[in-house]
Amino acid sequence: MLEVQDISVSYGLHEALHGVSITVDRGEIVVILGANGAGKSSLLRAIAGMSDGKVRGAASLNAQALIGQKPDKVVETGLALVPEGRGIFGTLSVGENLTLGAYPARARAAEKDNLAKVLELFPKLKDRRAQIVRTMSGGEQQMVAIGRAIMSSPDILLLDEPSLGLSPILCQELFRNLAKIRDTGMGVLLVEQNARQSLAIADRGYLIENGHITGAGSARDLANDPAVQKAYLGATSY
Amino acid sequence: MDVVISGLLLGGAYALVAMGLNLQYGVARIMNLANGEILILGGLAAFWAFVSFGLSPLLTLVIVAPLAFIGSWAMYKLLLRPLVRRAKTRGQLEVDSILATFGISFFLVGVMVSLRAEYFTYSFLATPVHLLGTTVAANRLVAALIAAAIGGALYLWLNRSRPGMAVRAVAVSPEAAGLVGINVDRVSAFAFALGGAVTALGGCLISTFVTLDASSGVLFTMKALIIVIMGGVGDIRGAIIAALILGLVETAVASIIDPGLTLVAAYAIFLAVLLFRPQGLFGQGNA
Ligand SMILES: Nc1ncnc2c1ncn2[C@@H]1O[C@H](COP(=O)(O)OP(=O)(O)O)[C@@H](O)[C@H]1O
Ligand SMILES: [Mg+2]
């Protein structure tokens, strides 16, 4: 279980995130909805040990403290982040990206099983193992990014706006795959602006505005909440 | 034909040195202007061991590699790591590391001059060998073969092993490397140290057929830079081809026009590359 308690992030004098607390359990999808600049990426990067700002507060995974750890240590505790822009090795091959995903010590024993899992989830990658990642389409690169994260055997998978730049059909496929990943027992924390589709697969959700959590609830309640409909489901249509 | 063979043999040794600089610049992001001095230190060690103890330079290699590794590692940890920590951008680290390593290069030249102010000349395997219808000095041939063996082993390690893959991963993207659990600090220090060891080995080999002295490091730094930029930063295959081209052109100019013009030829290639293929021979824009 990932527990984030009272995390604040500031960049110089500007505080972008103010005392945010959330939890994510294994086997559930939790979505954080918020507009551009609300602080979603700041939160995920702080948890993953990659913040450029000053982080206060606490976060733990399986009772191990995360804040103040370098990204490589955070991965070893069982958390994998697919950052905005995917963070893949563009000039390396698909196979190399996946092999590198299994670099953490915790992932070595299950490397074969995880690879089978990834190829089952993304059969397209099977005959693309030798392809250089940056020559692939956006949707395929997203598969590599998620596949690589799964290779590190995470308990909790963090995704920063994975649907960004994908066509509606690819978005659908992506969200369906995230649901499948959840069904393998992994916890998924998803940050999105695409409220309709992410709420459709999520179990729970949080609303974030200007660095504050302004609402929380089950995905169904959030989807039926008039305020949410107005802010996230009304004007934006996918 | 003579020119082609000797050119390729010279290029083989250059390729090894460029591999060293590539590891330091491509992975640890340190543009090491003291690279040439590390090479000369390797040459000085080979000279000294040969003259004092009659030790074959091929045996000195085995001693030089770990010493250069440890020395370079210490140089990174003590002198360069603070710059890495404080740099906010890659550009800033580049400027800082250029200034710092430039200073270190002067220090090393001073140390070497105090150890031996004259040329390091010794005669090792200076016998002619017949090769493909021409004659070359055995030392050149042996140096090129050993350089090829070391370079080949390094290439395989980088491409086939998981730790080697981690080194390349840091070169491609330190941020993504952190995300897959690679300790970027540790791998950077390792790559810098490995680069120093490879460079010093190149120096040992080159000293068997080139007369070096305490202050000739800067020439080799320039050559390595030319090769790395011509080959494309981080592109080992590119660096090998570039090194062979430089070796060929230098040898051709020296034997056909005038030995005094080799450096001019090197700069002419450099200029041509910067003008026409600034991304390197095989580069496709920014990696
Ligand atoms: N590295 C940074 N340096 C300075 N300010 C930043 C940095 N990253 C984000 N911010 C600021 O923090 C706020 C939240 O940004 P971010 O977390 O990226 O929001 P979101 O991901 O929800 O769009 C914004 O005002 C943004 O300008
Ligand atoms: Mg963002």
Side-chain angles (χ1 to χ4, degrees), chain A residues 80-114:
Chain A
L81 168 67
V82 177
E84 214 171 320
R86 307 192 180 102
I88 41 185
F89 300 105
T91 52
L92 301 187
S93 69
V94 173
E96 286 171 329
N97 268 271
L98 295 180
T99 304
L100 281 166
Y103 189 84
R106 78 186 323 264
R108 298 283 169 90
E111 183 171 357
K112 274 216 177 84
D113 295 344
N114 285 331

Side-chain angles (χ1 to χ4, degrees), chain B residues 27-281:
Chain B
V27 182
R29 325 250 152 182
I30 300 286
M31 177 42 81
N32 184 11
L33 292 190
N35 181 269
E37 276 65 40
I38 302 294
L39 180 152
I40 302 295
L41 270 174
L44 180 57
F47 164 78
W48 180 72
F50 186 83
V51 174
S52 307
F53 306 108
L55 203 59
S56 155
L58 306 183
L59 288 176
T60 312
L61 287 176
V62 183
I63 306 164
V64 160
L67 287 181
F69 184 93
I70 294 168
S72 300
W73 186 81
M75 173 171 151
Y76 183 84
K77 282 284 183 186
L78 298 176
L79 302 173
L80 300 170
R81 219 12 233 306
L83 304 181
V84 176
R85 292 215 151 167
R86 122 184 142 180
K88 295 216 163 48
T89 63
R90 182 159 183 193
Q92 192 192 344
L93 177 59
E94 233 152 73
V95 173
D96 286 356
S97 65
I98 283 174
L99 291 174
T101 56
F102 195 44
I104 294 169
S105 77
F106 279 110
F107 171 76
L108 292 177
V109 169
V111 169
M112 287 189 289
V113 168
S114 70
L115 288 175
R116 177 166 178 91
E118 305 99 70
Y119 287 109
F120 321 155
T121 34
Y122 63 103
S123 171
F124 170 73
L125 283 184
T127 46
V129 184
H130 297 282
L131 183 72
L132 300 175
T134 169
T135 33
V136 291
N139 49 28
R140 279 181 186 255
L141 182 60
V142 168
L145 289 177
I146 293 179
I150 297 172
L154 190 60
Y155 183 82
L156 284 180
W157 181 78
L158 284 169
N159 283 284
R160 299 286 156 79
S161 77
R162 198 192 299 264
M165 206 186 273
V167 169
R168 286 191 299 134
V170 173
V172 174
S173 164
E175 173 162 310
L179 284 173
V180 298
I182 294 169
N183 185 331
V184 175
D185 282 346
R186 198 189 302 156
V187 169
S188 298
F190 176 82
F192 189 86
L194 186 63
V198 168
T199 303
L201 290 179
C204 276
L205 294 173
I206 289 174
S207 76
T208 62
F209 62 94
V210 176
T211 300
L212 303 173
D213 73 271
S215 60
S216 44
V218 61
L219 296 179
F220 289 96
T221 304
M222 293 319 295
K223 288 177 191 182
L225 269 178
I226 290 171
I227 292 166
V228 167
I229 292 171
M230 180 157 53
V233 174
D235 182 346
I236 292 198
R237 265 175 311 172
I240 292 169
I241 309 270
L244 296 179
I245 292 178
L246 184 67
L248 277 175
V249 171
E250 281 193 354
T251 311
V253 169
S255 59
I256 298 168
I257 310 176
D258 185 305
L261 289 179
T262 52
L263 206 58
V264 176
Y267 282 117
I269 304 179
F270 189 37
L271 207 60
V273 167
L274 284 184
L275 284 175
F276 301 110
R277 286 204 67 82
Q279 72 276 45
L281 291 174

Side-chain angles (χ1 to χ4, degrees), chain A residues 70-80 101 104 106 152, chain B residues 178-181:
Chain A
K70 289 260 166 64
D72 53 296
K73 289 284 176 307
V74 173
V75 177
E76 290 287 2
T77 66
L79 186 137
R106 78 186 323 264
S152 70
Chain B
L179 284 173
V180 298

Side-chain angles (χ1 to χ4, degrees), chain A residues 128-156:
Chain A
R128 301 286 192 92
R129 301 272 273 278
Q131 188 169 354
I132 298 299
V133 167
R134 72 166 174 202
T135 65
M136 304 176 98
S137 73
E140 291 161 352
Q141 291 190 16
Q142 187 62 262
M143 292 176 195
V144 175
I146 296 173
R148 195 190 67 190
I150 293 174
M151 290 299 291
S152 70
S153 268
D155 293 327
I156 306 286

Side-chain angles (χ1 to χ4, degrees), chain A residues 11 14 16 34-43 52-53 84 160-161 191 193 208:
Chain A
Y11 302 104
H14 169 64
N36 241 338
K40 306 182 297 295
S41 299
S42 297
L43 174 63
D52 300 320
E84 214 171 320
D160 195 344
E161 299 204 37
V191 148
Q193 298 197 47
I208 185 169

